[in-house]
Amino acid sequence: MPEPASGLWRSQDMVLLQLHMQREAAHDTIFKLGQLGCVQFRDMNPNTSAFQRLFTGDVRRCEESERRLRYFEDQLKRAKDSTHVTTVVDSATGETLDSLEPKLEAMESELKDLNSKWEQLLVQKNSMKEHYEVLTQPPSFFRGEDDAGHLQVAHQADDASEPQGFRQGGLRYLTGVISSDRAALFERLVYRATRGNMFMRTVTAKEQFEDPATGDMVEKTVFVVFFSAQRAFDKIKKLCESMQATLYPYNIDSPQEVQQTTLKVSDTMRDLDTTIKVTKDVRADIVEKVKQNLFLWKKTVLVEKSVYDVLNQLSFKGQTVVAECWAPKEDLDNVQRALVEAEKSSGAQVQSFMDPIETHDQPPTYFKTNSFTKIHQSIVDSYGIARYKEINPAVFSCMTFPFLFGIMYGDIGHGFIITLVAALFIWKEKQLLASNINEIIAMVFGGRYILILMGLFAIYTGFLYNDFFGMMISPFGENTFWVFPHDKEEWKTMCGDDYNYWFGGKEANALQACKVIGGSPYILGIDPNWCETENKLEFYNSLKMKMAVILGVIQMSGGLVLSLLNHIYFKDMKHVWFGFVPEIIFLIFTFGYMCFMILVKWNTDWSERFRTEIDLPGASTPGPHFLRAPSLLEAQTNFFLMPGSIETDAYVFVGAGFQNMVQVGLLLCSLVAVPLLLIPIPVIEYLHNKHTSYGELAEHHETDTDGKPVPKTKESEAAIEGIAATEATEGATTSAAPQVGGDDEHPAAEQHEAFDMSEVVIKQVIHTIEFVLGCVSNTASYLRLWALSLAHAQLSEVFWNFAMIMPLSMDKGTGVFAFVGFAVWFFASLMVLCGMESLSAFLHALRLHWVEFQNKFYFGDGTQFVPYNIKDIDELAKPDIATE
């Protein structure tokens, strides 16, 4: 029966199984277990190279089939009318590698042959089209007279023999076709090669040409180059070859010859079009067949390859096959059922069975998640995989992560936008999962459930701050607790004389708050009237800073409590008494005490305390003396540096003497906790190792050959110690040596590492220093809750005042300034506050969980349970083109 804590709180109960099956049933068994998706196989041949494994040839066959399928995908991408591939597989049309391999080979050969013929035909057709473009140019295009804007030709006297190429008057010329993107470069090269003794005309071809290699339409240019010298012919011809330009004959002096050639080229083009159409139709039929079956074929090949990869990890002994795998305890019945089904489908004569194996190896960690918990678990796994049966931080981060985000991001309006986006993703979840969406949008969509919680908590803390797009609001009516009198008489009338001492010698003004007589606190959140005060920033800083410290100490204390639960679960009592106890004492007696002073100060009626007269012996000023509010920062600093220095008129609770006594006692307990954390654990581990190492050895060596006890002597004890040292050295050598795999040895031989006292001491010293200093640094790190909350509120206020209020005050009824101001404010709020600020708060909340919270109890050095699951291949099998 599975353990009650198994699931998400602690990882699933795992069992190491040994599967025995007949050789003929191995393939079907692996396939059935892959469909089940609940077992992780162990490699039983770790020392065998990939080239020496039994099914390497089959894996290569699968890779060759994959290559053919990739070729088919490329052909589908080139086919402009075949952009949709069927991904719905009919279960009745099953394929195997043996039946699929010859089919793919024949189809690839046929398709390559058709492509080769089609490319040859297309090259011929393009050549005819280029020649036709040259032939259909007007005669004026080939005449050498100068046109405006063209280069002048240097007419040189040349008494050499008749040059190659055609003549026009005193010039010779060559004509052809070149790609349009190379025409300008070609002209410059010809100009330089002939040293300017050339004249070139170009015109864009009337039709585009299909590239045989890519299938793209290419634009080409018809050109004619006029030159005078015979030696320029060879240079121009070489340039044409290097620039992939094609030359065609055109005799301007023989119009009849040009007309006959044009008719001949036209007839050839018609014949080529007919042949190309037939070839394309045959090719289209094959591509259509590929389109309908590509997903099925690719899935079949990938599944077969994965099966053979697993078979290469098994141990084959004659007709018997042995496999080892991890499986959740709750799925053992399903595994047994899969073995029976595979035995029947393969027609094996020997029954397959499984046996649980006792092992000291650390099992893999497996948490069962759903759509909601998956994102939280992935955040924790990014830090590190939990140890087997270690408490899973994701259980708490489901709520604490968005809550800390809300503390830093608290705003009703911005939280509502985030919630709206997340709700839209959840509402369209099925449609978005079935479609191909942008990578960035897919990343946000994957976190839709944590995003909606972040938005809701931001709205909740926005109500606590009474903050709406940077504006202080009064959602529960007008204030009845704090007022802002405009003069001293009004102040006395409304608030009495409770605070007369505070404003002695001052004139009250509208920015000084006082408490209404008989008033009650605001229903929820901060009193909205604080936004009208000059010291509102000071008030917000004090409130949010102290709130951040309290939340930090609470979360860190919770992490220590979780470490206690881990120690109790693993029956590690030494870490309970000498790990958890000193750690919780140090944290609570130092920073927990600071949080206690904050709460006491918040709940103290300072108006009454300020009127309490006390005696101050040795006071420098005469007259009555009253109690004053203490500085908690100063009190906490003096707690470490000057214990017992609380002043008589500035205590927090009971009295200065009592508080000094309490502080000294707490500091002494905290100091005692440090050596209690540092010393006992290494000593206990040393004594435990000494007892286990020498106990069995002494029991073995203190008997004679007849089994009778031998009295202890100094010599015998020395001999025992020498043997123990020798065995420890051999054990260390064995641990360092590589394991020998194969069918005759267990793939993971269980070995024990030699005990190293210095390593244990160093580790404990580092842990103690890290914890003591971490209590200070981690508590200070939680002040980021205050800092980001303050930054978000101030940015919101700045955007509102300068992008909305200022343009509205400048607008004189035209509405232009109002429209521009609203656009700027909306864009800034959306991009900066809802985009960048939310990402910043997310990262800071992530750091608080990874560093400040999880390091109190979470090791994160486990191994992930990665089951062999054929269903995962469905996503890989989807062709790399659009799917329907």
Side-chain angles (χ1 to χ4, degrees):
M1 180 178 178
E3 178 185 331
S6 179
L8 190 62
W9 172 253
R10 295 189 188 274
S11 59
Q12 291 277 330
D13 297 325
M14 305 299 292
V15 180
L16 181 60
L17 299 176
Q18 192 172 71
L19 310 180
H20 299 264
M21 66 202 81
Q22 191 175 342
R23 192 184 187 99
E24 288 75 11
H27 182 280
D28 289 356
T29 301
I30 301 303
F31 179 76
K32 291 291 183 182
L33 292 175
Q35 288 181 322
L36 192 60
C38 67
V39 296
Q40 176 181 333
F41 290 94
R42 299 210 307 181
D43 191 358
M44 302 188 68
N45 309 293
N47 296 321
T48 305
S49 66
F51 301 101
Q52 296 174 340
R53 306 219 173 193
L54 194 59
F55 295 94
T56 301
D58 298 283
V59 173
R60 288 177 177 173
R61 289 171 53 203
C62 295
E63 291 174 349
E64 180 63 20
S65 297
E66 282 186 271
R67 184 196 60 77
R68 293 190 175 107
L69 292 172
R70 285 194 298 270
Y71 174 75
F72 293 157
E73 284 187 30
D74 292 338
Q75 297 304 309
L76 283 175
K77 290 178 183 179
R78 292 180 59 183
K80 299 178 177 57
D81 56 344
S82 301
T83 57
H84 296 284
V85 178
T86 303
T87 56
V88 179
V89 179
D90 185 3
S91 58
T93 60
E95 287 276 8
T96 63
L97 183 62
D98 293 334
S99 63
L100 183 61
E101 193 174 19
K103 184 187 300 184
L104 296 180
E105 184 178 1
M107 191 171 294
E108 181 194 25
S109 176
E110 184 178 3
L111 194 56
K112 281 185 174 181
D113 185 53
L114 287 172
N115 284 338
S116 177
K117 292 179 179 178
W118 177 77
E119 289 178 3
Q120 293 175 5
L121 292 172
L122 190 59
V123 168
Q124 294 179 20
K125 179 185 175 181
N126 287 341
S127 178
M128 292 296 104
K129 283 180 65 177
E130 291 176 356
H131 197 181
Y132 185 79
E133 289 285 346
V134 172
L135 295 172
T136 55
Q137 295 299 321
S140 60
F141 180 73
F142 300 96
R143 300 191 182 277
E145 59 267 14
D146 182 36
D147 288 341
H150 287 81
L151 296 173
Q152 293 292 336
V153 180
H155 298 276
Q156 300 180 12
D158 190 0
D159 299 332
S161 60
E162 183 72 7
Q164 302 179 60
F166 293 95
R167 269 184 184 275
Q168 172 59 31
L171 296 175
R172 303 168 180 85
Y173 67 91
L174 289 175
T175 183
V177 178
I178 191 172
S179 179
S180 295
D181 56 356
R182 298 192 186 97
L185 177 61
F186 176 70
E187 184 173 0
R188 288 196 297 270
L189 292 175
V190 171
Y191 180 82
R192 292 177 181 177
T194 59
R195 298 182 180 181
N197 297 313
M198 53 78 68
F199 173 63
M200 181 173 174
R201 281 179 178 167
T202 59
V203 63
T204 303
K206 302 181 184 65
E207 296 184 11
Q208 291 185 329
F209 296 77
E210 184 177 358
D211 189 345
T214 62
D216 299 331
M217 301 305 294
V218 179
E219 190 177 75
K220 293 195 175 184
T221 299
V222 180
F223 68 88
V224 58
V225 180
F226 298 93
F227 56 93
S228 59
Q230 179 183 359
R231 59 181 178 273
F233 176 82
D234 294 332
K235 295 181 180 179
I236 297 174
K237 188 175 181 181
K238 289 180 179 179
L239 285 176
C240 290
E241 293 175 354
S242 63
M243 297 295 292
Q244 299 180 4
T246 308
L247 297 176
Y248 294 98
Y250 186 93
N251 191 354
I252 189 64
D253 297 327
S254 179
Q256 185 177 2
E257 180 183 346
V258 171
Q259 185 177 5
Q260 292 176 352
T261 306
T262 303
L263 293 175
K264 183 178 179 181
V265 169
S266 299
D267 294 339
T268 305
M269 288 174 57
R270 281 194 295 270
D271 295 339
L272 288 173
D273 284 337
T274 304
T275 308
I276 289 175
K277 184 178 182 304
V278 174
T279 305
K280 288 183 67 174
D281 290 341
V282 177
R283 181 176 176 272
D285 292 339
I286 299 177
V287 170
E288 182 65 23
K289 185 177 180 181
V290 170
K291 182 178 70 173
Q292 298 298 326
N293 297 277
L294 182 60
F295 176 75
L296 172 62
W297 293 344
K298 194 171 182 180
K299 181 179 178 181
T300 301
V301 172
L302 292 176
V303 168
E304 288 293 319
K305 183 181 178 182
S306 67
V307 170
Y308 286 123
D309 284 336
V310 174
L311 288 173
N312 278 331
Q313 301 178 19
L314 307 187
S315 175
F316 287 80
K317 298 179 180 179
Q319 293 299 315
T320 304
V321 181
V322 180
E324 287 186 1
C325 59
W326 290 103
K329 186 178 290 185
E330 64 179 15
D331 289 326
L332 294 183
D333 293 338
N334 295 330
V335 174
Q336 181 61 48
R337 193 178 304 113
L339 292 178
V340 174
E341 292 177 359
E343 177 191 337
K344 293 180 179 178
S345 63
S346 63
Q349 302 299 319
V350 180
Q351 182 180 3
S352 302
F353 63 93
M354 65 179 184
D355 286 330
I357 304 176
E358 294 294 333
T359 179
H360 295 290
D361 292 348
Q362 185 78 5
T365 301
Y366 173 49
F367 294 107
K368 234 177 206 181
T369 59
N370 52 33
S371 298
F372 176 76
T373 58
K374 183 179 180 180
I375 178 63
H376 299 279
Q377 190 62 55
S378 64
I379 290 176
V380 173
D381 290 344
S382 298
Y383 176 84
I385 307 300
R387 284 184 179 179
Y388 181 65
K389 289 300 179 182
E390 186 179 19
I391 289 178
N392 185 13
V395 176
F396 300 93
S397 66
C398 287
M399 289 295 116
T400 58
F401 186 91
F403 175 69
L404 293 185
F405 173 87
I407 293 293
M408 293 181 280
Y409 194 75
D411 189 286
I412 300 173
H414 299 142
F416 177 76
I417 293 176
I418 294 178
T419 304
L420 190 64
V421 172
L424 181 64
F425 279 140
I426 295 174
W427 182 40
K428 297 290 185 179
E429 180 175 354
K430 292 183 179 179
Q431 295 92 318
L432 292 173
L433 284 174
S435 61
N436 292 326
I437 55 180
N438 181 272
E439 185 178 353
I440 297 179
I441 298 178
M443 180 177 61
V444 179
F445 172 72
R448 58 195 177 279
Y449 288 105
I450 194 173
L451 198 64
I452 195 170
L453 288 178
M454 289 160 55
L456 292 175
F457 275 107
I459 293 174
Y460 168 70
T461 53
F463 276 108
L464 294 183
Y465 301 154
N466 280 330
D467 202 354
F468 181 80
F469 287 122
M471 299 177 291
M472 185 67 75
I473 60 174
S474 302
F476 303 104
E478 294 297 328
N479 169 60
T480 58
F481 195 64
W482 294 97
V483 293
F484 304 90
H486 294 275
D487 54 49
K488 195 168 184 179
E489 293 300 326
E490 183 182 356
W491 183 84
K492 288 182 178 180
T493 302
M494 300 178 64
C495 306
D497 59 351
D498 286 349
Y499 292 139
N500 280 339
Y501 71 92
W502 195 253
F503 301 110
K506 299 179 182 178
E507 289 294 330
N509 56 61
L511 298 177
Q512 292 173 335
C514 68
K515 187 170 64 173
V516 177
I517 300 175
S520 59
Y522 201 71
I523 297 176
L524 178 65
I526 298 174
D527 196 311
N529 282 334
W530 277 105
C531 72
E532 303 177 19
T533 64
E534 289 181 347
N535 64 333
K536 68 172 183 177
L537 193 58
E538 181 181 352
F539 169 74
Y540 288 158
N541 283 343
S542 176
L543 175 66
K544 294 181 179 181
M545 188 185 304
K546 294 171 182 175
M547 182 176 64
V549 171
I550 293 174
L551 290 174
V553 173
I554 290 174
Q555 189 173 36
M556 289 189 294
S557 302
L560 291 179
V561 172
L562 294 180
S563 71
L564 172 65
L565 298 179
N566 274 335
H567 297 329
I568 294 175
Y569 179 85
F570 293 113
K571 298 180 175 58
D572 188 3
M573 300 311 296
K574 67 177 182 293
H575 279 94
V576 172
W577 295 109
F578 304 110
F580 166 75
V581 171
E583 287 176 354
I584 197 70
I585 286 176
F586 187 87
L587 179 62
I588 297 300
F589 285 11
T590 53
F591 296 99
Y593 169 69
M594 181 175 65
C595 295
F596 172 74
M597 288 194 295
I598 293 173
L599 296 175
V600 170
K601 189 174 180 181
W602 276 350
N603 289 277
T604 299
D605 186 359
W606 292 102
S607 62
E608 183 67 26
R609 289 280 296 274
F610 289 150
R611 294 198 303 270
T612 303
E613 186 174 349
I614 61 171
D615 294 329
L616 282 181
S620 58
T621 57
H625 296 275
F626 299 91
L627 292 177
R628 56 189 176 88
S631 170
L632 296 185
L633 181 60
E634 180 182 353
Q636 186 65 19
T637 304
N638 291 336
F639 175 83
F640 293 102
L641 302 179
M642 301 172 60
S645 60
I646 299 296
E647 298 181 8
T648 306
D649 60 341
Y651 61 86
V652 178
F653 55 90
V654 182
F658 178 78
Q659 186 176 350
N660 281 326
M661 182 178 64
V662 170
Q663 286 196 176
V664 171
L666 293 178
L667 182 60
L668 290 176
C669 292
S670 301
L671 294 177
V672 171
V674 176
L676 192 64
L677 177 63
L678 174 64
I679 299 173
I681 290 180
V683 174
I684 292 174
E685 291 190 4
Y686 171 76
L687 295 176
H688 175 73
N689 180 76
K690 184 176 180 180
H691 174 73
T692 54
S693 298
Y694 289 90
E696 296 179 0
L697 188 62
E699 183 180 353
H700 175 72
H701 289 284
E702 289 177 1
T703 58
D704 58 13
T705 55
D706 298 329
K708 297 179 181 180
V710 176
K712 289 184 179 180
T713 63
K714 292 183 178 180
E715 290 78 5
S716 64
E717 291 181 356
I720 291 173
E721 292 179 0
I723 296 172
T726 302
E727 291 184 356
T729 304
E730 292 176 354
T733 305
T734 305
S735 300
Q739 299 177 359
V740 180
D743 297 337
D744 297 329
E745 294 191 17
H746 197 279
E750 296 158 1
Q751 301 168 352
H752 301 281
E753 296 182 359
F755 178 77
D756 188 351
M757 182 62 182
S758 61
E759 182 180 349
V760 174
V761 172
I762 293 173
K763 179 180 177 182
Q764 192 63 25
V765 169
I766 293 174
H767 172 72
T768 303
I769 296 175
E770 182 183 13
F771 178 81
V772 173
L773 296 181
C775 285
V776 181
S777 63
N778 292 349
T779 303
S781 182
Y782 276 94
L783 292 178
R784 69 186 68 240
L785 297 175
W786 151 66
L788 266 76
S789 174
L790 179 66
H792 184 83
Q794 292 301 304
L795 275 176
S796 301
E797 184 177 353
V798 168
F799 287 155
W800 177 258
N801 290 334
F802 287 92
M804 281 294 293
I805 301 301
M806 184 182 294
L808 286 175
S809 63
M810 297 169 60
D811 194 88
K812 304 301 182 182
T814 61
V816 176
F817 286 97
F819 176 79
V820 173
F822 174 79
V824 172
W825 172 80
F826 182 78
F827 179 80
S829 297
L830 201 63
M831 300 301 296
V832 179
L833 297 177
C834 292
M836 297 170 57
E837 274 286 310
S838 62
L839 179 60
S840 174
F842 178 90
L843 294 176
H844 283 285
L846 189 66
R847 182 243 154 76
L848 290 176
H849 278 78
W850 278 2
V851 179
E852 278 69 33
F853 175 56
Q854 291 180 188
N855 72 348
K856 298 295 183 294
F857 69 98
Y858 187 62
F859 288 96
D861 56 357
T863 56
Q864 181 76 50
F865 176 65
V866 184
Y868 171 58
N869 195 345
I870 288 179
K871 295 179 182 178
D872 296 337
I873 297 177
D874 287 351
E875 190 65 28
L876 298 175
K878 290 183 179 179
D880 188 19
I881 54 179
T883 58
E884 60 182 10

